Structure formats: C-alpha cells, structure tokens
Amino acid sequence: TRRSSDLPCQSVRSARGQLAQTCPIAGGEEGRSSAPPGVRQVQPLIPTSGAAMKIQFAPLNVPLSRRLQTAAVLQWTFSFLALAQCCLAAFILLLLSDYWYLALLYGTWLYLDRHTPAAGGRRSDWIRNWRVWTYFRDYFPITLVKTADLDPKHNYIFGFHPHGVLVAGAFGNFCTEATGFSTLFPGLASHLLMLPFWFKVPFFRDYIMGGCLVSSDKSSAAHLLSQECGGQVAVIAVGGPPEALDARPGALTLQVLRSEEH
C-alpha cells in the first residue's frame, strides 16, 4: 500500500477563490481519514483565520542593514500612497500664502510643460542612482536577469508581470539603477508607463518623471517607439489597475484581454 505522502497533490482554487491543495488518500490510510474512499482531502494553503493577520513587531536585535532596507521600502510606499496628496496640499498652501506668486510661476510652468510626460518624460540619473534604492532592492531582494542582448538601435516593449499592488519589481528594475539596468543593457533607456492623472499633481509629477516614469497614454508609448535613433524601452505592467486590484497573497492572476458582448 502506498502512503498518501507518496501520491501526487494538485493545487486548485475553490469557488470562493481560496487556494487549496488536494491530495489523494491511499488505501492503507483511508481508515484514518474522515474523507470517503476515493475522495481527495482538501488542505488550505493560505490561512484564513484572523490570527494570521495580526501585527508582529520586529525584535530589537534586527541588524541595522535590515532596518535601513525596511525604511527604504516604507519611504517608497509613502511616495506612492501619500506623497501626491502632500504635494497637492503644499501647492495649495503656497498659493494661499504670501508667496502665492511662486505657486503662480510654477502653475505657469506646469501648463507649459504639460506634454512632457507623454513625450519621454524628464530622466534624472541623479534620482535613479540614489543610495536608498540599493536598500530598497535588498529588502525583497530584487534581481534583474538578462537572457539576451538587445540592439540599442531599436526600440522595445517590455511586459512586466505580475502587476502587484504597487509594481515594486518594475520600479526597482526599470526606474532605478539598483539592479544595473544601464550596465546590462547599454544604450537603452527604460520608461515605466503610469496612469496619466498622476502627472497632473504639482511637484509629484517632476519627482516621478525623474525616475523615468511616463504617461500610459497611447501617444506616450507611440512617442517612445517612434524614435528613429532607437534605444527606448516602454515598460508596461500587463493587466494594469484591474490586475492590481485583484492582487492577493498566493495568487498570480494575469489579465491580458477582456471581451464584452454588446
């Protein structure tokens, strides 16, 4: 009689979306199982109890390097979740202060520069080489693996998956030099496409453009891919916002095409 541990198991998803593992019950062990003969026993892979979601604080003896990595991820998370709101509030306060003319000057610049996010952005090698990004990289860690040489005389589209909630992998690989993109692909400039409305936020737009983020408008991608001199890479997080909203631990859901009947 074969043991159940010797029999193959399969990962399945229930009707409620819960990831589980099914294992066949061997004949010699059916007597000790509550499942009927021939019925697979379902073992959840992801705990669903509230206890699994409790907050656990790090011990005091965590190395300084790890604390710096955590701080780097926290500042990056803050940048994508709250920095835009803070920048908008700062602009409004400046407009209502005695230095309103500075806000007016920046507003004029904002209008004149409104097409830049869809025209390749404004790359800043200084921002891309900040030391904080190396700590950000090492937290996960993030690694960029090169599998083929790319001719810098051509333009390219890179597809990134999974999207995740905040596209941390794409940011670390293509918006910073922490993983050595320019060294691995000399002559190529990467541009991560991002939702257009973020580029309407004062100050914040200039910060994210420094990391080579550009608008995800069709005209933005067309501009990058139409450069005759080549060397431009448009990085697209496949699935976009719908896939980000569907991100959950233990599941990788890819949304490529969704057709609707009218």
Side-chain angles (χ1 to χ4, degrees):
T1 303
R2 296 175 62 188
R3 297 178 302 170
S4 60
S5 58
D6 297 330
L7 298 177
C9 298
Q10 298 180 355
S11 295
V12 298
R13 185 173 300 280
S14 66
R16 302 179 63 179
Q18 180 181 353
L19 189 64
Q21 188 179 51
T22 61
C23 301
I25 305 300
E29 294 184 334
E30 287 178 356
R32 296 191 298 270
S33 173
S34 59
V39 177
R40 293 177 179 267
Q41 185 178 11
V42 179
Q43 304 171 350
L45 294 179
I46 303 176
T48 57
S49 62
M53 302 301 293
K54 67 180 180 179
I55 298 177
Q56 296 182 351
F57 294 95
L60 296 177
N61 60 346
V62 173
L64 177 60
S65 59
R66 186 58 177 175
R67 292 193 180 276
L68 291 174
Q69 294 167 13
T70 304
V73 173
L74 286 176
Q75 70 82 25
W76 175 79
T77 305
F78 168 80
S79 298
F80 275 85
L81 296 182
L83 184 59
Q85 294 88 328
C86 293
C87 289
L88 181 59
F91 178 78
I92 294 175
L93 291 175
L94 184 62
L95 186 63
L96 299 176
S97 69
D98 294 337
Y99 301 96
W100 58 268
Y101 54 89
L102 295 178
L104 184 61
L105 288 174
Y106 181 82
T108 304
W109 159 256
L110 193 66
Y111 175 78
L112 296 175
D113 195 56
R114 65 188 184 280
H115 297 303
T116 300
R122 188 178 298 108
R123 179 190 183 98
S124 172
D125 291 332
W126 176 64
I127 293 179
R128 288 174 59 89
N129 285 280
W130 280 354
R131 180 66 180 273
V132 67
W133 305 133
T134 61
Y135 293 115
F136 174 83
R137 172 202 65 197
D138 294 338
Y139 175 86
F140 296 96
I142 300 174
T143 305
L144 181 61
V145 180
K146 178 180 178 179
T147 58
D149 292 326
L150 299 179
D151 188 350
K153 296 181 180 179
H154 301 289
N155 301 310
Y156 301 90
I157 297 179
F158 285 6
F160 176 83
H161 173 72
H163 186 289
V165 179
L166 296 178
V167 250
F171 180 87
N173 280 323
F174 305 115
C175 298
T176 77
E177 291 297 335
T179 56
F181 178 86
S182 297
T183 303
L184 292 174
F185 301 98
L188 295 181
S190 58
H191 305 270
L192 180 61
L193 275 65
M194 190 176 184
L195 290 176
F197 72 86
W198 291 114
F199 296 93
K200 301 182 184 300
V201 181
F203 307 128
F204 182 73
R205 66 186 294 276
D206 300 292
Y207 172 63
I208 60 178
M209 278 197 294
C212 290
L213 283 103
V214 297
S215 173
S216 58
D217 286 330
K218 181 179 180 179
S219 60
S220 178
H223 173 84
L224 295 174
L225 300 176
S226 63
Q227 298 302 303
E228 296 182 358
C229 58
Q232 305 300 314
V233 178
V235 183
I236 301 176
V238 181
E243 187 175 304
L245 296 175
D246 201 26
R248 63 176 62 90
L252 297 178
T253 304
L254 176 61
Q255 298 191 23
V256 179
L257 179 63
R258 176 177 295 178
S259 60
E260 296 181 359
E261 296 181 1
H262 299 281

